[in-house]
Every structure is written in structure tokens, then in C-alpha cells.
């Protein structure tokens, strides 16, 4: 069987800790959904409520509701916006987002769609205006990164292991602001990988078992099926290895958490 773990919303959690954007940090510390909070900033609480949202910032709207569609649009926009991208760049990302089509029971149909093809750069610019008016901490964080790059003499350090960057495309803003976050995530994964290898060494259950894949924020372990109870224990152990929690040594109080899944094959891992 396969045990899979991935760090939950790793980029956003690292950003919340490093850049301390108030709205994002508060969302995590209060148990709110950051994508729903972004939807509120862009579309407004009234539109979310009209779309069926309950008013609970920590609870996703019901699948298939208009409010769920607004949350998904805000999620797509936010992930395209993290690193100071221009509106035209974000428009390409948003319009090119492909989603799986589900049936009435929420099961995949095997078909996909492009729900945001009609979103143009003008609309994205309006979202930008509303987002930055509600959450000015993002621009302050980006400006701070660029100032740090200049004061360092043309490079950045990542926050976890202190690795140094190169010249980051001569100070291109997108490269400067994303280096500490993406490189910090890579360093976290190095630490996680060491913990996982201690718990699940290569050939842990014989030839061909142990860690079989490691991505930018995920790890997959192959082990023998030892029954529901032992499988559940080992899955929980993987989750413990991948959950860093708060990291006081770095001044991080937003927890680094992980999701875990079990499957008989890669398809069952989703």
C-alpha cells in the first residue's frame, strides 16, 4: 500500500509566518479559511451570503453553491498573486485554470472545464484594487523583500536553513519575493524527509519498500499492508513526521501542518 503526506497550504503558512501579513496570519491563528477571507475581500460578505455562505469564516460553503464558486475563484486569484505578479500575468493563470467536473454526488466525471475563461485583465485589476484595499500587508511585505535584497547587496537568505540565493535575475521583483518562501519550503522538506527516513527507512518492509517519491511539498511511502489498525498507526506516524507545528526558534506561530492519505495505488491517492 501507499502512504502519502503533504504539507497543508505550505506557501501560505510560511508567508503568514515570515511576512506576517495581518489578514493571512489572523486567518490561520483564528481557524479561518484564507481563501474564504480573500473571497470576502474581493467580492464582499454580502455576495458570499447571497451565494449560500453560512457566515462562518472557518467553514467552506457547500459544494456547488454560488459561494463555493466565489471561494474557488478567490483561491485561484490568491495563488496567482502571492509573489507580486502583474495583472496580465495573473489573468493568464486564472483564465487557464482547469477544473474537474463533478456529478451531483460530488464524484469525478472524467471531464474538465475552464471556468474563468471570461476573466480579463481589467477584471483582475479590479480584484487587485479591492484585495489591496482590504489587505495592504501584501504590498508592504513585497516592498520589504525588495529592500532586503538591496541592503544585502543583491541576494536573499531563506529563513529555515539560511541558504543564500544568487542574484535572482538581477533583482526581478517576482524572483526576489518568492525566493525566501519557496526556498524555505524546500528546507522544511529536507527536515521532514530526514524525519520520515528515520521512521520509514528504505526497505522498511523488504525490497522495494520505503520512500518512493518526494515532491516540493509531499512524500509517498510504500509499505506492506499489515491490516487496518497497523496501517492507521503508520499513516498517523507519517503525519507526525510531516507536521512541524509552530517553530518558536524561527519566530513562527502559525503551525506547519500536513494531510495524509492511504491508498492501494497512485489513483487512490488522488
Amino acid at each position: 500500500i501507499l502512504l502519502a503526506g503533504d504539507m497543508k497550504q505550505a506557501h501560505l503558512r510560511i508567508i503568514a509566518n515570515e511576512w506576517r501579513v495581518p489578514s493571512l496570519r489572523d486567518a490561520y491563528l483564528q481557524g479561518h479559511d484564507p481563501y474564504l477571507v480573500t473571497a470576502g475581500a474581493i467580492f464582499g460578505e454580502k455576495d458570499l451570503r447571497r451565494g449560500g455562505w453560512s457566515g462562518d469564516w472557518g467553514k467552506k460553503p457547500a459544494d456547488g453553491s454560488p459561494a463555493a464558486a466565489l471561494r474557488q475563484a478567490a483561491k485561484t486569484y490568491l495563488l496567482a498573486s502571492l509573489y507580486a505578479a502583474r495583472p496580465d500575468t495573473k489573468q493568464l493563470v486564472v483564465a487557464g485554470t482547469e477544473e474537474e467536473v463533478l456529478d451531483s454526488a460530488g464524484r469525478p466525471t472524467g471531464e474538465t472545464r475552464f471556468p474563468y475563461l471570461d476573466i480579463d485583465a481589467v477584471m483582475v485589476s479590479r480584484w487587485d484594487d479591492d484585495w489591496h484595499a482590504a489587505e495592504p500587508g501584501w504590498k508592504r511585505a513585497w516592498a520589504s523583500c525588495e529592500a532586503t535584497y538591496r541592503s544585502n547587496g543583491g541576494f536573499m537568505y531563506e529563513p529555515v536553513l539560511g541558504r543564500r540565493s544568487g542574484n535572482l535575475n538581477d533583482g526581478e521583483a517576482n524572483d526576489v519575493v518568492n525566493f525566501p518562501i519557496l526556498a524555505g519550503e524546500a528546507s522544511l522538506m529536507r527536515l521532514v524527509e530526514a524525519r520520515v527516513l528515520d521512521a520509514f527507512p528504505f526497505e522498511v518492509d523488504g525490497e522495494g519498500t520505503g520512500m518512493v517519491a518526494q515532491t516540493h511539498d509531499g512524500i509517498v511511502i510504500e509499505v506492506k499492508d499489515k491490516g487496518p489498525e497497523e496501517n492507521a498507526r503508520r499513516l498517523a506516524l507519517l503525519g507526525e513526521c510531516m507536521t512541524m507545528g509552530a517553530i518558536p526558534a524561527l519566530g513562527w506561530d502559525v503551525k506547519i501542518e500536513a494531510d495524509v492519505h492511504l491508498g492501494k495505488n497512485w489513483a487512490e491517492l488522488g
Side-chain angles (χ1 to χ4, degrees):
I1 61 172
L2 299 174
L3 310 178
D6 59 87
M7 288 196 290
K8 188 189 304 183
Q9 299 172 347
H11 291 198
L12 288 176
R13 291 173 184 271
I14 295 170
I15 286 171
N17 282 308
E18 272 301 293
W19 294 352
R20 306 186 81 80
V21 176
S23 56
L24 183 63
R25 185 170 173 273
D26 290 348
Y28 281 117
L29 294 178
Q30 295 172 18
H32 295 169
D33 176 359
Y35 303 129
L36 197 54
V37 171
T38 302
I42 295 173
F43 305 114
E45 291 186 38
K46 288 184 179 179
D47 281 352
L48 285 172
R49 289 182 184 277
R50 290 192 196 101
W53 174 53
S54 67
D56 184 345
W57 291 109
K59 186 177 181 180
K60 296 179 183 179
D63 289 343
S65 67
L70 292 177
R71 177 191 177 274
Q72 185 60 38
K75 175 181 178 180
T76 302
Y77 166 82
L78 178 61
L79 295 178
S81 301
L82 297 180
Y83 304 116
R86 298 187 304 270
D88 57 334
T89 300
K90 288 189 274 190
Q91 186 272 333
L92 292 173
V93 174
V94 171
T97 299
E98 187 175 9
E99 291 184 357
E100 196 169 41
V101 176
L102 306 178
D103 63 19
S104 59
R107 297 183 296 259
T109 63
E111 298 179 355
T112 58
R113 66 190 182 102
F114 293 87
Y116 310 119
L117 282 176
D118 294 336
I119 301 297
D120 59 20
V122 174
M123 178 62 72
V124 172
S125 293
R126 291 174 183 165
W127 292 359
D128 277 351
D129 291 342
D130 292 338
W131 182 50
H132 287 302
E135 304 182 7
W138 289 93
K139 284 188 174 181
R140 288 197 297 266
W142 298 335
S144 177
C145 286
E146 293 185 88
T148 298
Y149 175 85
R150 291 190 297 271
S151 67
N152 285 345
F155 62 89
M156 297 288 283
Y157 290 107
E158 58 90 358
V160 179
L161 298 180
R163 295 178 297 143
R164 174 178 160 168
S165 74
N167 72 356
L168 298 173
N169 201 21
D170 292 327
E172 174 68 30
N174 183 261
D175 294 331
V176 168
V177 300
N178 77 30
F179 175 80
I181 308 306
L182 299 186
E185 178 192 46
S187 290
L188 283 179
M189 283 302 297
R190 297 292 75 74
L191 301 177
V192 164
E193 185 177 336
R195 295 167 69 172
V196 171
L197 285 173
D198 282 343
F200 300 92
F202 289 114
E203 301 190 348
V204 61
D205 284 344
E207 186 176 357
T209 62
M211 188 183 302
V212 294
Q214 189 263 308
T215 62
H216 64 97
D217 65 355
I219 285 176
V220 180
I221 308 294
E222 184 169 352
V223 294
K224 288 185 177 179
D225 186 343
K226 295 190 174 182
E229 185 173 337
E230 177 62 9
N231 293 344
R233 186 195 71 79
R234 295 177 114 182
L235 187 65
L237 176 59
L238 176 60
E240 291 172 9
C241 291
M242 296 196 65
T243 297
M244 304 295 288
I247 309 179
L250 297 178
W252 290 8
D253 52 2
V254 172
K255 295 180 179 179
I256 305 299
E257 300 179 344
D259 289 321
V260 292
H261 316 277
L262 181 151
K264 293 181 179 179
N265 51 52
W266 291 90
E268 289 188 4
L269 295 179

